[in-house]
């Protein structure tokens, strides 16, 4: 079996299983959702992230939140942005760490709580990547007719930006690639490109750079061919009906992470410098891309 065939089988096997790399174990998710029913529980929505030991990290983060808020806390995890967006719009969770793209699209139904600081700034970029050993691909235009991996249809860096880049160049994204697919995780975009399942992919630059630190073998098998302009980092959001005092308290806890010993340790695991209150103007660049991509 060739490299792509082996890679495809391995990728599909990993994507189909429950892994600490892409989500909490099923038992933990069910336990968290049962806790949502407890009166006074703060419900926080999360999507798959890239941490090597996610189960351990989220357990410690939840305990830290509980100590700071003096209330029970439950992480409610889903496998894609849309499911978490639906939960927060319906008022079934209180807060969520989401992407700027769904925030811009549903801004009237969500409230901005705080924005992460990465390298001292509340910004990040979309990276378009290819196989590190494919010297013929130097720009997005070189990926014409190839297989391309997106992370999530509601992801700014993993979907919206490459759509915007192609449309801005007068290219129809629907016909530019020979085939596209969604991996439902930024890390899995990197994996798909690294094993040859896709010739290129769109990924959160913050995730790629963090993988370059913690898994240099994985990130090193890919190469960046294009970066987006700097855009507002994925924010913490609240349901629109959240009481003002609860929003202020949760925001205060996030802003205070950098001043707390265990909070700084958790931020270190996330490769973040802290959180700031932020403002909607940070997402103006995403607003402009949405207007261009969704223009009638």
């Amino acid at each position: 079996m060739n490299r792509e065939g082996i890679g495809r089988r391995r990728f599909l096997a990993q994507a189909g299983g429950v892994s600490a790399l892409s989500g909490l174990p099923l038992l933990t998710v069910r336990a968290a959702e049962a806790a949502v029913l407890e009166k006074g529980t703060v419900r926080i929505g999360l999507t798959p992230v890239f941490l090597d030991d996610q189960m351990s990290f989220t357990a410690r983060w939840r305990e830290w939140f509980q100590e700071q808020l003096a209330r029970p806390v439950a992480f409610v995890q889903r496998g894609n942005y849309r499911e978490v967006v639906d939960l927060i719009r319906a008022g079934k969770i209180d807060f969520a760490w989401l992407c700027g793209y769904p925030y811009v699209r549903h801004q009237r139904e969500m409230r901005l709580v705080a924005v992460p600081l990465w390298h001292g700034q509340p910004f990040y970029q979309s990276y378009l990547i290819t196989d590190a050993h494919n010297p013929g691909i130097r720009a997005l235009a070189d990926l014409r007719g190839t297989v391309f991996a997106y992370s999530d249809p509601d992801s700014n860096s993993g979907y919206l930006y490459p759509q915007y880049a192609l449309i801005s160049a007068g290219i129809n994204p629907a016909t530019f690639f020979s085939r596209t697919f969604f991996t439902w995780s930024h890390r899995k975009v990197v994996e798909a490109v690294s094993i040859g399942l896709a010739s290129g992919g769109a990924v959160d630059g913050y995730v790629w750079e963090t993988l370059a630190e913690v898994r240099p073998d994985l990130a090193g098998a890919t190469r960046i061919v294009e970066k987006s302009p700097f855009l507002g980092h994925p924010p913490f959001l609240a349901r629109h009906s959240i009481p003002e005092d609860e929003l202020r308290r949760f925001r205060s806890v996030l802003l205070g992470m950098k001043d707390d010993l265990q909070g700084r340790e958790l931020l270190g695991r996330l490769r973040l410098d802290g959180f700031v209150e932020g403002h909607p103007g940070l997402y103006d660049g995403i607003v402009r891309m949405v207007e261009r991509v969704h223009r009638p």
Side-chain angles (χ1 to χ4, degrees), residues 37-279:
L37 301 177
E38 296 179 9
K39 186 176 181 180
T41 298
V42 178
R43 304 157 298 178
I44 304 173
L46 296 177
T47 55
V49 293
F50 53 85
L51 297 170
D52 279 308
D53 191 9
Q54 181 172 314
M55 183 172 62
S56 170
F57 175 81
T58 51
R60 292 184 62 188
W61 204 15
R62 185 180 67 84
E63 291 172 359
W64 184 83
F65 270 127
Q66 289 187 150
E67 291 176 2
Q68 300 297 313
L69 295 168
R71 290 176 60 185
V73 170
F75 283 135
V76 180
Q77 187 153 4
R78 290 292 186 269
N80 57 66
Y81 286 124
R82 182 66 52 83
E83 292 180 88
V84 177
V85 168
D86 288 346
L87 287 173
I88 197 168
R89 291 175 67 196
K92 294 182 178 180
I93 57 177
D94 304 301
F95 304 96
W97 196 359
L98 278 169
C99 180
Y101 184 20
Y103 167 60
V104 163
R105 298 190 73 183
H106 305 287
Q107 198 164 344
R108 294 182 179 180
E109 300 169 273
M110 304 176 188
R111 302 181 65 182
L112 183 61
V113 179
V115 181
L117 288 175
W118 182 47
H119 296 166
Q121 299 292 328
F123 303 108
Y124 80 132
Q125 293 170 284
S126 170
Y127 286 4
L128 304 185
I129 61 173
T130 189
D131 185 337
H133 306 293
N134 189 341
I137 297 176
R138 292 292 175 184
L140 177 60
D142 298 327
L143 288 166
R144 182 186 295 274
T146 67
V147 177
F148 193 83
Y150 294 113
S151 66
D152 187 299
D154 292 296
S155 170
N156 169 51
S157 57
Y159 182 72
L160 179 65
Y161 174 70
Q163 294 277 305
Y164 170 80
L166 289 170
I167 290 171
S168 297
I171 298 169
N172 183 353
T175 59
F176 180 73
F177 302 108
S178 65
R179 184 170 66 86
T180 62
F181 62 93
F182 292 104
T183 69
W184 306 104
S185 161
H186 288 287
R187 179 189 176 117
K188 289 190 179 301
V189 169
V190 181
E191 291 177 351
V193 174
S194 73
I195 62 178
L197 191 57
S199 296
V203 66
D204 182 323
Y206 157 65
V207 173
W208 191 93
E209 294 289 355
T210 301
L211 283 173
E213 294 181 33
V214 301
R215 283 293 308 276
D217 58 318
L218 177 57
T222 67
R223 177 170 51 81
I224 303 163
V225 297
E226 182 173 321
K227 296 181 181 181
S228 75
F230 284 98
L231 301 161
H233 205 289
F236 257 97
L237 303 169
R239 57 182 169 89
H240 191 268
S241 60
I242 197 82
E244 195 66 35
D245 60 334
E246 291 187 26
L247 186 148
R248 285 198 302 267
R249 177 59 181 152
F250 191 77
R251 176 183 288 145
S252 176
V253 166
L254 284 174
L255 300 190
M257 278 191 79
K258 66 182 185 304
D259 301 317
D260 176 84
L261 181 61
Q262 188 176 354
R264 285 196 300 273
E265 181 183 345
L266 292 167
L267 286 169
R269 293 277 300 277
L270 289 169
R271 278 14 184 219
L272 295 175
D273 302 311
F275 288 88
V276 293
E277 185 169 345
H279 55 86

